[in-house]
Amino acid sequence: MNETPPRHAAAERAVTVLMAVVPCGADTARRILTDAARAAGAGLRETAEAALVLGGGGKPDAALGRALADAMDEARSATEPAERPYTRLLPDPGTIGDLLKRHRALRRRALAAPEDAAVRDELDDATYTLCVLMGRRNAHTALRSAELLIGAEWLGTTTRTGRDRNPDAPHRFRGTGTHRRSSS
């Protein structure tokens, strides 16, 4: 039987909403729910219903609203583990741009239909892919890094016209003095 039992339906819809709002993966959204319930001294179902109200643009009960906001902020600001400085390849901006478009569309669909498990799974996959491509463990940080990477091209900080005419032309990033070859 693949149906979600009614007592868990609100929690799963809330997970979907939190994945779209924070943004985060399904596991992090479940942790947000449990952390907020514990902090507010409320049940999981009550906390899930408050998250659904929040996702719908409403204002949940003050204590639950504050607990949810705190848990969401904690998920967004989770620190990345300290790593040795290293040089890594940047992902292809075109690929990242396509993934960001898909991720945004899935977030809108998740908010519109939080009961749709297929949308929740697709959003979780897109979030995971974004984290992997950006080399980040935190979905919010990965999303922000991807937006900054793409934003550099959208704001005209790279020489797109030169690349568009010649796909093998190197890019020059302002202020860095570095070149990179397009992988398109």
Side-chain angles (χ1 to χ4, degrees):
M1 180 182 264
N2 288 338
E3 287 187 31
T4 303
R7 62 191 167 121
H8 298 296
E12 288 305 302
R13 287 193 325 269
V15 164
T16 304
V17 166
L18 288 171
M19 289 171 63
V21 171
V22 171
C24 63
D27 292 339
T28 301
R30 287 184 182 94
R31 190 179 70 242
I32 290 169
L33 275 180
T34 57
D35 289 352
R38 187 178 308 117
L44 187 60
R45 184 179 185 138
E46 184 182 1
T47 307
E49 289 170 359
L52 291 170
V53 168
L54 186 67
K59 285 208 159 246
D61 170 70
L64 277 172
R66 181 78 256 150
L68 277 168
D70 289 346
M72 290 166 52
D73 286 345
E74 179 67 27
R76 286 184 188 115
S77 63
T79 58
E80 300 278 330
E83 298 174 356
R84 288 185 337 178
Y86 69 99
T87 303
R88 66 179 180 93
L89 296 173
L90 290 175
D92 174 52
T95 301
I96 294 299
D98 292 344
L99 182 58
L100 281 174
K101 287 177 191 173
R102 180 173 173 249
H103 194 268
R104 287 184 188 119
L106 286 167
R107 288 172 69 189
R108 285 190 298 273
R109 286 177 50 203
L111 287 173
E115 67 284 346
D116 191 341
V119 172
R120 180 175 46 249
D121 291 344
E122 281 186 67
L123 180 57
D124 200 29
D125 287 345
T127 301
Y128 175 79
T129 302
L130 188 63
C131 287
V132 168
L133 287 177
M134 296 310 299
R136 304 288 185 204
R137 293 183 183 188
N138 178 296
H140 187 261
T141 305
L143 183 63
R144 186 68 188 131
S145 297
E147 288 171 342
L148 288 172
L149 175 67
I150 299 305
E153 283 196 348
W154 288 346
L155 297 174
T157 57
T158 62
T159 55
R160 283 188 61 92
T161 20
R163 185 183 72 173
D164 290 344
R165 277 184 262 143
N166 180 2
D168 293 326
H171 289 215
R172 182 179 244 340
F173 289 94
R174 290 187 185 163
T176 63
T178 60
H179 286 65
R180 74 174 174 91
R181 294 187 67 83
S182 173
S183 60
S184 329

